Amino acid sequence: MTKYSKQIQELVNSLNEKQLRYTNLELPNPKNGEYMLAVFHFVPGKGLNTLQAATEIAAESSTGTNFTVKTETDFSHEMNALVYKLDLEKELVWIAYPWRLFDRGGNIQNILTYVVGNVLGMKQISALKLLDVWFPPAMLEQYDGPSYTLDDMKKYLGIKNRPVLGTIIKPKMGLTSAEYAEVCYDFWVGGGDFVKNDEPQANQDFCPYDKMVLHVKEAMDKAVKETGKKKVHSFNVSAADYDTMIERCEMIRSAGFEQGSYAFLIDGLTAGWMAVQTLRRKYPGVFIHFHRAMHGAFTRPENPIGHTVLVLSKFARLAGASGIHTGTAGVGKMKGTPKDDLIPAHNILQLLAEGHLFEQSWAKIPKADKDLINLIKEDSHHHVILEDDSWRGIKKCAPIISGGLNPTKLKSFIDLAKTTDFITTMGAGVHAHPDGTKAGARALVQAMEAYQKKISIEQYAKKKPELKKAIEFFTKKKKLKESEESS
């Protein structure tokens, strides 16, 4: 028997019979494949000590309720979540969930209903934040993972060793269908790759969805003809009901877009995980773009209750999202540090990655398998993997980077991220250029060229008027903002 510290032993001794059923601080091998593991930052409410309250969380998030019931069986006890580790100093609690608890249809919302469902409203907690999760290989087998990936999009666009350069049309609302398409055209002709609807765009009366789709198709055709390069548009298909969502998807497909030239954006948290997984299963050949609007209600560091960006991002990959917004690591306007934003980005990109508290392998085959070892090595060198052997692991999910970026900040983010495997979607960073969207797109492309040539943007801008004006404009705006904030 493990010898506990006096403090831990006192906590164990305080448990009643019901609470003991949800505790095993001697769990021999939590990573034996039977459990999905979770670690929470946890502060109990009044009336219960840390371990007592933690067992109530384990019970509520698996098989139990507030009292032992007469209908429990020996088998139901096998499905109990187990508190298996405590760090009292850091206020951390580890819980092992038998993954057989979860809907075997690959149902993400079902997992979240257990793990961050009713438990977040329990009075036994003062703080409960899910920091990290770990999925065993046998569980990964039950879930879809991405189908059409960033690698597929880059191949379609004909680009390598650089991010996908994108934009969000601004103003986010108020343009007519024709005006919206005109801005798309300007960005694409300026050299940009990827345009997205902003997350609230739908079927507004001033911008009917059907007309927007048709005008974007015309604008894309014209831009492709003039530039000789492929383009992509991400359409927000979030809707009031399933039928309308599918109607929008089919409207886009029937408009004549080339396969690969369109993505389906879904507001994953407000539309729901069912919508995300429906799109993944119904349209496996389409890039599924997960916008995370409302995530801050769960993920902001100052919020003691919820889950982290890492947890959201890992579940998005498990569900089959091709890409999800992961933040700008403090470089842009959104709140988030490199730790907050880059750990999630790497976890959804890589086959093997360190999280906040777990190392996650997205492989479905044994870790000692020579083929897996080679895949991890290839992945670490940023080579494309899992093309013709997708049974071996869950494919990558792309970080989508937006919020306050502009061409002057592109290198800063790449240097922090240490990768160019992402989609950047600059809004005002393109459209606020003094000479308009087309020049803003050219400035973005030029900033990327400077990075690839290992030349400072200031040096490169001497012969690139669009980039020069962008540097002058955004530097001036930055200084003005800093002056206003300090006054």
Side-chain angles (χ1 to χ4, degrees), residues 25-71:
L25 298 181
E26 298 178 31
L27 192 62
N29 184 12
K31 288 191 174 182
N32 65 2
E34 290 286 336
Y35 303 103
M36 184 191 83
L37 306 180
V39 59
F40 296 87
H41 174 249
F42 174 57
V43 179
K46 294 180 181 179
L48 297 177
N49 66 39
T50 297
L51 185 54
Q52 288 170 339
T55 63
E56 297 297 335
I57 297 304
E60 179 64 35
S61 60
S62 60
T63 63
T65 183
N66 55 331
F67 293 104
T68 299
V69 294
K70 302 299 183 182
T71 49

Side-chain angles (χ1 to χ4, degrees), residues 188-464:
W188 284 323
V189 170
D193 306 308
F194 178 95
V195 177
K196 67 176 282 288
N197 283 156
D198 217 326
E199 66 275 8
Q201 187 152 350
N203 189 23
Q204 284 84 3
D205 61 357
F206 52 82
C207 187
Y209 201 92
D210 56 348
K211 286 190 176 182
M212 183 268 293
V213 169
L214 292 176
H215 290 333
V216 167
K217 172 65 168 59
E218 291 179 294
M220 181 184 287
D221 288 347
K222 185 172 177 60
V224 169
K225 184 177 180 180
E226 292 181 14
T227 64
K229 295 181 179 178
K230 305 285 190 182
K231 307 295 178 183
V232 178
H233 188 280
S234 183
F235 292 94
N236 188 358
V237 297
S238 308
D241 54 68
Y242 170 86
D243 291 332
T244 305
M245 180 178 77
I246 299 303
E247 180 184 331
R248 289 178 182 172
C249 295
E250 292 303 313
M251 185 187 301
I252 293 158
R253 282 159 53 94
S254 64
F257 284 93
E258 186 175 79
Q259 188 73 18
S261 69
Y262 59 92
F264 293 154
L265 184 152
I266 187 74
D267 293 318
L269 292 177
T270 52
W273 290 95
M274 189 185 297
V276 176
Q277 295 190 167
T278 294
L279 292 175
R280 161 62 180 86
R281 293 180 176 186
K282 195 169 180 65
Y283 302 105
V286 178
F287 189 95
I288 306 302
H289 179 166
F290 188 123
H291 195 285
R292 60 180 188 167
M294 201 178 77
H295 80 95
F298 307 98
T299 64
R300 285 183 67 114
E302 62 268 36
N303 185 350
I305 294 173
H307 56 69
T308 59
V309 171
L310 173 61
V311 168
L312 172 62
S313 303
K314 288 173 81 167
F315 276 112
R317 182 176 182 175
L318 195 65
S322 303
I324 182 172
H325 293 251
T326 54
T328 58
V331 176
K333 69 180 181 181
M334 308 305 285
K335 188 174 180 66
T337 65
K339 180 181 177 182
D340 294 334
D341 294 346
L342 296 182
I343 287 177
H346 293 152
N347 264 260
I348 61 174
L349 269 176
Q350 297 170 359
L351 191 59
L352 180 69
E354 287 287 344
H356 294 316
L357 289 144
F358 294 117
E359 181 184 67
Q360 179 68 58
S361 169
W362 293 91
K364 301 178 188 177
I365 59 177
K367 60 183 179 181
D369 189 286
K370 290 183 180 179
D371 289 314
L372 176 59
I373 294 169
N374 185 59
L375 280 173
I376 292 171
K377 182 179 178 181
E378 291 291 303
D379 190 44
S380 70
H381 291 129
H382 304 290
H383 297 157
V384 176
I385 61 170
L386 300 175
E387 281 192 296
D388 56 2
D389 55 357
S390 61
W391 76 84
R392 289 176 170 154
I394 299 286
K395 291 183 178 181
K396 71 171 60 172
C397 175
I400 301 172
I401 313 303
S402 63
L405 294 182
N406 64 65
T408 71
K409 296 182 177 182
L410 183 62
K411 181 180 184 298
S412 298
F413 183 82
I414 294 174
D415 288 345
L416 267 177
K418 295 181 172 57
T419 183
T420 57
D421 275 345
F422 61 89
I423 301 170
T424 180
T425 53
M426 298 183 187
V430 167
H431 307 298
H433 191 284
D435 293 334
T437 295
K438 198 177 296 185
R442 287 176 180 152
L444 174 57
V445 171
Q446 290 160 5
M448 188 68 255
E449 291 170 349
Y451 177 83
Q452 291 175 311
K453 295 177 180 180
K454 297 181 171 55
I455 302 172
S456 73
I457 56 172
E458 291 79 12
Q459 179 69 23
Y460 199 64
K462 289 180 179 180
K463 295 183 179 180
K464 304 291 182 182

